[in-house]
Amino acid sequence: MNVERTDELARRARAHAALADVTRLRIMDRLSVSDAAASELGALLDVPSNLLAHHLNVLQDAGLVARQRSEGDGRRTYVTLTRDAVLATNASAGDLRRPRRVLFVCTANTARSHLAAALWRRASPIRVASAGTQPGDRVNERAVAAAARHGLELPDVRPALLEDTARAGDLVITVCDRAHEELRGADWAHWSVPDPVVAGGSRAFDRALDRLAGRVAALAPRFAPAR
C-alpha cells in the first residue's frame, strides 16, 4: 500500500473516531447549518466550556473544524466546518422546514450577501433576497466581476437596508461577522466569510465565492420540497 493511500486512510480513521461521540455529532450538526462562537455553541447545546473546548480540539485535530477571529468583535473566534466536512456532513434532503424566503445579510450589502443570493438562485427554487445593516452606495465592481467569472447573474440594484427589506417569515443568514454581532441572535444562521473588499483582488473574491458556494450547496437540498 503506497504512502499517500495510507495517509488518506489514517485521515479518514481520525475523522470517524472524532465523530464517534454524541456531543461531537451535535456540534457538527449545528455547524453544518451555522458557524458559531464557542460561547454560542455552549449555550445552544448546554455543554460546559471546558468540555466543549475538549470536543472542539478533537474535531480540529481531525481536520473537521477550523477557527477564525471575528472581523467585528476581535475578542470572539468563530468555529466553522472545513470545506470537506461541510460536504461530508450534509444531511438528507427534507430535514428542515421550508422558508418563504431566504435573506442573506452582510454589513454593506455590496459583495458577500449579493454573491450568496446569486448562488442560492442557481441552487434552489426558494425565493431569496439580500440586504445590509449599513448599506453602501453600490455593488462592488469586483463582486460583479467574480460573479461573471463563475457564471452567476447579479441584479443591477442598489444595496438595501435590512429594516426596509426584511419580511415576516424570512430565514435570515448573515454572511459577515459584524452583521451577525449587530443582530444579536436575530439571524437564523451565520456563515463567517472574510470580507473580500478588505483583502482586495480577484483571488479574495473567488475565495469568498467558493466558501459561500460550499455552504449553499450543503444547505439548499435540506429544505422540505414545496407541497
Side-chain angles (χ1 to χ4, degrees):
M1 186 176 294
N2 62 44
V3 174
E4 290 183 358
R5 176 61 175 165
T6 301
D7 289 345
E8 172 63 15
L9 287 173
R11 183 192 66 79
R12 288 171 57 196
R14 287 195 299 272
H16 284 292
L19 295 174
D21 179 274
V22 171
T23 298
R24 290 197 284 274
L25 283 174
R26 293 174 65 208
I27 292 171
M28 294 294 286
D29 282 349
R30 177 55 185 168
L31 294 178
S32 73
V33 171
S34 175
D35 299 335
S39 58
E40 293 172 327
L41 281 173
L44 180 68
L45 303 178
D46 193 25
V47 177
S49 59
N50 59 338
L51 183 57
L52 179 65
H54 163 71
H55 288 308
L56 291 177
N57 286 336
V58 171
L59 292 171
Q60 185 167 356
D61 290 344
L64 297 174
V65 304
R67 310 184 210 212
Q68 61 187 36
R69 186 75 63 183
S70 169
E71 292 185 333
D73 183 347
R75 299 166 298 178
R76 177 177 289 210
T77 299
Y78 287 104
V79 183
T80 181
L81 295 185
T82 61
R83 181 173 175 82
D84 288 345
V86 168
L87 298 176
T89 58
N90 186 21
S92 60
D95 65 344
L96 295 173
R97 182 176 179 181
R98 183 184 178 93
R100 294 181 179 178
R101 188 177 71 160
V102 173
L103 178 60
F104 289 105
V105 179
C106 64
T107 304
N109 190 216
T110 59
R112 287 166 289 182
S113 51
H114 279 287
L115 292 172
L119 288 162
W120 189 268
R121 288 187 194 95
R122 189 165 69 180
S124 173
I126 297 172
R127 290 181 298 169
V128 66
S130 69
T133 56
Q134 301 173 42
D137 295 327
R138 61 183 182 278
V139 177
N140 189 283
E141 60 185 15
R142 288 194 172 119
V144 175
R149 285 194 298 275
H150 294 268
L152 293 171
E153 293 185 7
L154 288 188
D156 184 15
V157 297
R158 289 180 60 85
L161 181 66
L162 174 60
E163 285 81 359
D164 295 338
T165 307
R167 301 176 185 170
D170 279 347
L171 187 146
V172 177
I173 300 176
T174 49
V175 291
C176 86
D177 298 336
R178 291 184 178 86
H180 172 64
E181 290 155 14
E182 283 185 61
L183 293 186
R184 298 180 180 275
D187 48 346
W188 178 80
H190 172 49
W191 299 347
S192 182
V193 180
D195 188 356
V197 176
V198 173
S202 60
R203 288 185 180 180
F205 281 85
D206 286 341
R207 285 194 298 269
L209 190 53
D210 184 62
R211 181 175 289 197
L212 290 167
R215 300 308 299 254
V216 168
L219 180 62
R222 295 182 60 176
F223 291 107
R227 293 181 179 180

